[in-house]
Amino acid sequence: MTWETAKQIADFLMSLPVVEDEAIFDFIGGEPMLEIDLISRISDYLVTSMKERNHPWLNNYSFRFTTNGLNYSSDKVQEYVKKYKNRLSVQISIDGTKRKHDLNRKYANGKGSYDDLRPNLRLWVEQFEDKATSYMVVSHDDLPYLSESVIHLITLGIKNIVVSLVVEDVWKEGDGELFEKQLVEIADYVIDNRLWNKLTISPFDENIGKPNKEEHIYPCGNPMYVFDSKGNIYTCVRFVDFSLRSKEPRIIGTIQNGIDTNKLRPLLSFDRESCYPEKCLNCEIESCCRWCPAENYDASSSGTIFQRTTTVCQLHKSNVRVNNYFWNKIKFIEDNER
């Protein structure tokens, strides 16, 4: 992305009607820390613009990175971290142990990246402490290493662990049972070491598995604005060309011409009746079941975003069973200690 395009994006954002009290400026790629010079410049420009306009976001904004962490210890990145530390969230994508991480996160020559990342993790945890959040992607091939990987991240001092099941159709028979076994091992480790009040691990959330009766639903919160290097606007990075397997990018506007509200409107109008198949409408444990509008779009034959995919259905049911086991066991322990 050029500076000119980045500046136009900032000006576009500053011109929008303020409908949210908070703004999160999220740098994601690709690998954003390869462009730390541009990011530092555009961050300074955003802050200056908010000050000049006395913008409502001035006292309630943050910068966020989703990064592979390989450049985290570089001098320029550390200068940025020092400058914006109190306004900064850094989420590092580490998939767990060396063997799990290196299955997917490789250099172009095929070499795994874990060994180069490990020293940077120590620095990151030291700097962000309880706010350090890791992002672990799980698919069929690395599912057998899930429990050892989450436990490994805990031993590294990471307090917030997001476990993200891929929504693409990669799951096979028996994966639900294996996922359940892996989650039980994690649950027992957390309970045996009395860590449940010290950690946040995404599969263990008391809201998982409750009925979801909300009429208007969107799985990732409100749609966001995402900008590519040409100034095209999307509602998610997963609608950009490099994230799609077979469909055309789903562009909703440009920084030059603004938002096409007709293209935005469908993403604001999800409701249960129009999007969910019958089994989901009647599901008593549907809350927090993972799905994705962009995967709906990519997997559908017609290009609709309203045909909800259900690829993780069996894994979600496994998650609910273990989540109930986890919280019931904690309640039993706490009740008996009163």
Side-chain angles (χ1 to χ4, degrees):
M1 182 179 291
T2 65
W3 160 248
E4 290 73 20
T5 298
K7 182 177 178 297
Q8 283 181 295
I9 291 170
D11 291 338
F12 175 84
L13 290 170
M14 291 297 101
S15 72
L16 292 174
V18 178
V19 295
E20 298 287 347
D21 295 333
E22 178 185 10
I24 301 173
F25 302 103
D26 193 351
F27 301 106
I28 189 169
E31 174 46 47
M33 287 184 175
L34 291 173
E35 295 289 346
I36 194 63
D37 288 334
L38 176 63
I39 287 172
S40 181
R41 189 177 179 187
I42 199 61
S43 298
D44 292 346
Y45 183 77
L46 282 164
V47 173
T48 299
S49 296
M50 287 187 286
K51 287 179 178 177
E52 289 175 347
R53 292 169 168 82
N54 193 26
H55 198 284
W57 292 338
L58 180 58
N59 295 314
N60 203 14
Y61 73 90
S62 60
F63 297 121
R64 183 169 64 190
F65 284 80
T66 302
T67 172
N68 63 30
L70 292 173
N71 287 342
Y72 185 75
S73 60
S74 70
D75 290 343
K76 289 184 177 181
V77 170
Q78 285 303 301
E79 288 172 9
Y80 183 93
V81 170
K82 183 178 180 180
K83 183 172 186 177
Y84 285 109
K85 176 75 180 300
N86 294 331
R87 295 282 188 177
L88 184 60
S89 170
V90 178
Q91 181 173 276
I92 290 184
S93 298
I94 173 172
D95 281 344
T97 56
K98 176 178 171 63
R99 68 172 171 177
K100 182 178 183 310
H101 183 88
D102 284 351
L103 275 175
N104 298 311
R105 304 200 183 266
K106 306 174 187 290
Y107 291 105
N109 63 7
K111 176 180 177 289
S113 61
Y114 178 89
D115 291 336
D116 293 333
L117 174 60
R118 179 68 183 269
N120 292 347
L121 291 175
R122 287 193 290 269
L123 173 62
W124 169 63
V125 170
E126 287 173 3
Q127 290 176 326
F128 287 92
E129 299 176 330
D130 291 351
K131 294 182 180 179
T133 300
S134 64
Y135 190 87
M136 174 192 296
V137 177
V138 181
S139 64
H140 167 79
D141 290 341
D142 55 17
L143 181 58
Y145 314 127
L146 173 60
S147 64
E148 67 178 46
S149 292
V150 171
I151 292 168
H152 176 62
L153 297 188
I154 294 171
T155 64
L156 294 179
I158 299 172
K159 301 292 181 65
N160 304 288
I161 301 169
V162 176
V163 176
S164 179
L165 301 175
V166 302
V167 292
E168 290 82 3
D169 189 13
V170 302
W171 302 104
K172 299 181 181 179
E173 185 175 351
D175 282 347
E177 290 83 356
L178 179 56
F179 186 48
E180 187 165 341
K181 178 177 180 293
Q182 296 284 308
L183 288 181
V184 168
E185 291 176 3
I186 300 167
D188 287 343
Y189 178 87
V190 171
I191 292 169
D192 291 346
N193 290 278
R194 304 187 70 86
L195 297 173
W196 60 84
N197 288 324
K198 301 176 182 178
L199 301 170
T200 300
I201 305 174
S202 63
F204 305 133
D205 183 324
E206 290 183 277
N207 292 315
I208 291 175
K210 296 180 180 179
N212 186 357
K213 300 304 182 183
E214 294 182 16
E215 290 304 316
H216 295 284
I217 45 94
Y218 196 81
C220 310
N222 292 327
M224 64 199 82
Y225 290 138
V226 172
F227 305 88
D228 68 12
S229 60
K230 298 176 182 177
N232 294 317
I233 307 172
Y234 310 80
T235 51
C236 177
V237 71
R238 291 205 48 158
F239 283 115
V240 183
D241 54 2
F242 56 74
S243 296
L244 298 167
R245 297 184 301 278
S246 59
K247 299 294 191 297
E248 292 296 314
R250 198 171 190 281
I251 298 168
I252 63 163
T254 67
I255 52 175
Q256 294 81 18
N257 300 319
I259 303 293
D260 184 335
T261 54
N262 286 327
K263 293 181 178 179
L264 177 62
R265 189 172 292 113
L267 287 150
L268 301 175
S269 61
F270 274 112
D271 60 51
R272 296 173 60 81
E273 294 294 334
S274 64
C275 183
Y276 284 19
E278 191 70 23
K279 68 175 183 177
C280 298
L281 284 171
N282 297 325
C283 182
E284 291 301 316
I285 59 169
E286 191 268 332
S287 181
C288 301
C289 186
R290 179 164 162 72
W291 63 284
C292 170
E295 178 59 17
N296 291 0
Y297 171 69
D298 209 10
S300 71
S301 58
S302 62
T304 181
I305 59 174
F306 288 93
Q307 185 177 318
R308 173 174 168 170
T309 58
T310 59
T311 53
V312 300
C313 179
Q314 293 304 313
L315 283 86
H316 176 67
K317 291 176 180 177
S318 297
N319 193 163
V320 172
R321 286 192 290 270
V322 182
N323 194 51
N324 290 337
Y325 163 81
F326 179 77
W327 291 108
N328 287 336
K329 196 167 184 180
I330 290 170
K331 185 177 186 302
F332 177 81
I333 293 170
E334 292 179 338
D335 287 347
N336 279 276
E337 290 180 346
R338 288 195 178 98

